[in-house]
Amino acid sequence: SDLQKQEERGELLQPLIFVLLVLCSVLLYFKVSLMDPGFVKPEEEEGENKGQGVVIPQIPGDIKLRRCGYCLVKQSMRAKHCQLCQHCVRRYDHHCPWLTNCVGERNHPLFIVYLSVQLVVLLWGGHVAWSGLYFEQSWEWLQHNIFLLVSFLLILIFTTVVLLLLVSQLYLISCNTTTWEFMSHHRISYLRHSELENPFDQGIILNLWRFFC
């Protein structure tokens, strides 16, 4: 049959890989959006706060960790309260509206993996859509190809957004800083009073190693 001939020629392998990537992207989306991003719990306060001074000796000792005015837990270093999630999140990066969840200490690495897989899917889909287009200056051509053309333009927009987000995230990770710390450096006490511009930076290689490993 035609299906068996296509399988023998390896023509079914690429669509199968593409479907698996799409499925992996969907599973990663639900995993990142539904998991605990690193909520600060009252029973964890004491142990976490003791460890902060050992890991980050550059932070001035006179900076006191404050108690959150919303959920009343003592915030560990680099934690922030998210008013949408109604929780303090450890190593808070940002609240992602696509995920309807915070990106924090626990799900940040998976968020990067999700963006990477999503980018591959979009690039692949964009290539397929572009390869199906043949341009002619006629109304009849536009009527027959409008759906494919709109699909390509939408894929192009989403690809640009995901690519910019992934590049910016990888840059911040390589500097061992978060989106919140980068945007609100002047408002954060442990950064504003630090002798170093970024007291958490330990070099690109070590920063990436500690984040992903």
Side-chain angles (χ1 to χ4, degrees), residues 38 40 44-45 47-66 74-80 88-92 105 178 180-181 188-192 194 199-200:
V40 179
E44 297 175 353
E45 292 178 15
E48 286 185 357
N49 294 338
K50 284 181 179 179
Q52 295 296 336
V54 177
V55 177
I56 312 155
Q58 299 92 335
I59 298 296
D62 58 345
I63 294 179
K64 296 180 179 179
L65 302 180
R66 67 186 186 89
K74 187 173 289 186
Q75 289 182 336
S76 55
M77 191 73 72
R78 312 188 79 178
K80 182 184 181 297
C88 287
V89 181
R90 295 193 302 270
R91 201 182 182 279
Y92 175 87
E105 183 179 78
T178 64
W180 171 58
E181 291 171 342
I188 303 173
S189 58
Y190 59 80
L191 295 179
R192 189 172 66 247
S194 174
F200 306 106

Side-chain angles (χ1 to χ4, degrees), residues 85-124:
C85 292
Q86 294 298 313
H87 284 286
C88 287
V89 181
R90 295 193 302 270
R91 201 182 182 279
Y92 175 87
D93 189 84
H94 69 284
H95 182 92
C96 181
W98 291 359
L99 301 171
T100 62
N101 192 16
C102 285
V103 176
E105 183 179 78
R106 294 191 61 190
N107 64 349
H108 202 169
L110 271 182
F111 178 69
I112 299 300
V113 175
Y114 164 70
L115 287 179
S116 302
V117 174
Q118 190 66 48
L119 181 61
V120 172
V121 171
L122 287 168
L123 289 172
W124 196 333

Side-chain angles (χ1 to χ4, degrees), residues 1-141:
S1 64
D2 292 339
L3 191 62
Q4 288 177 332
K5 291 179 180 179
Q6 289 179 338
E7 185 178 1
E8 290 174 359
R9 292 195 298 264
E11 295 178 1
L12 296 180
L13 183 60
Q14 287 189 358
L16 179 61
I17 294 175
F18 181 77
V19 171
L20 290 176
L21 281 173
V22 172
L23 179 61
C24 180
S25 174
V26 172
L27 293 176
L28 281 170
Y29 172 83
F30 284 109
K31 176 67 175 176
V32 177
S33 63
L34 296 176
M35 72 181 295
D36 178 356
F39 296 136
V40 179
K41 300 174 183 177
E43 61 269 18
E44 297 175 353
E45 292 178 15
E46 186 177 351
E48 286 185 357
N49 294 338
K50 284 181 179 179
Q52 295 296 336
V54 177
V55 177
I56 312 155
Q58 299 92 335
I59 298 296
D62 58 345
I63 294 179
K64 296 180 179 179
L65 302 180
R66 67 186 186 89
R67 188 170 292 276
C68 177
Y70 296 97
C71 53
L72 302 180
V73 298
K74 187 173 289 186
Q75 289 182 336
S76 55
M77 191 73 72
R78 312 188 79 178
K80 182 184 181 297
H81 183 85
C82 175
Q83 296 193 20
L84 295 174
C85 292
Q86 294 298 313
H87 284 286
C88 287
V89 181
R90 295 193 302 270
R91 201 182 182 279
Y92 175 87
D93 189 84
H94 69 284
H95 182 92
C96 181
W98 291 359
L99 301 171
T100 62
N101 192 16
C102 285
V103 176
E105 183 179 78
R106 294 191 61 190
N107 64 349
H108 202 169
L110 271 182
F111 178 69
I112 299 300
V113 175
Y114 164 70
L115 287 179
S116 302
V117 174
Q118 190 66 48
L119 181 61
V120 172
V121 171
L122 287 168
L123 289 172
W124 196 333
H127 171 71
V128 172
W130 177 259
S131 64
L133 288 171
Y134 58 94
F135 293 95
E136 294 180 5
Q137 294 183 351
S138 66
W139 177 249
E140 184 179 355
W141 175 89

Side-chain angles (χ1 to χ4, degrees), residues 159-207:
T159 300
T160 303
V161 172
V162 172
L163 179 62
L164 291 175
L165 182 57
L166 180 60
V167 169
S168 64
Q169 283 286 305
L170 290 175
Y171 169 75
L172 294 176
I173 292 167
S174 68
C175 300
N176 197 1
T177 189
T178 64
T179 303
W180 171 58
E181 291 171 342
F182 181 79
M183 300 294 293
S184 305
H185 188 280
H186 62 287
R187 294 165 48 198
I188 303 173
S189 58
Y190 59 80
L191 295 179
R192 189 172 66 247
H193 299 297
S194 174
E195 296 179 0
L196 302 176
E197 184 177 355
N198 181 11
F200 306 106
D201 188 7
Q202 296 180 309
I204 294 177
I205 295 177
L206 190 56
N207 290 339

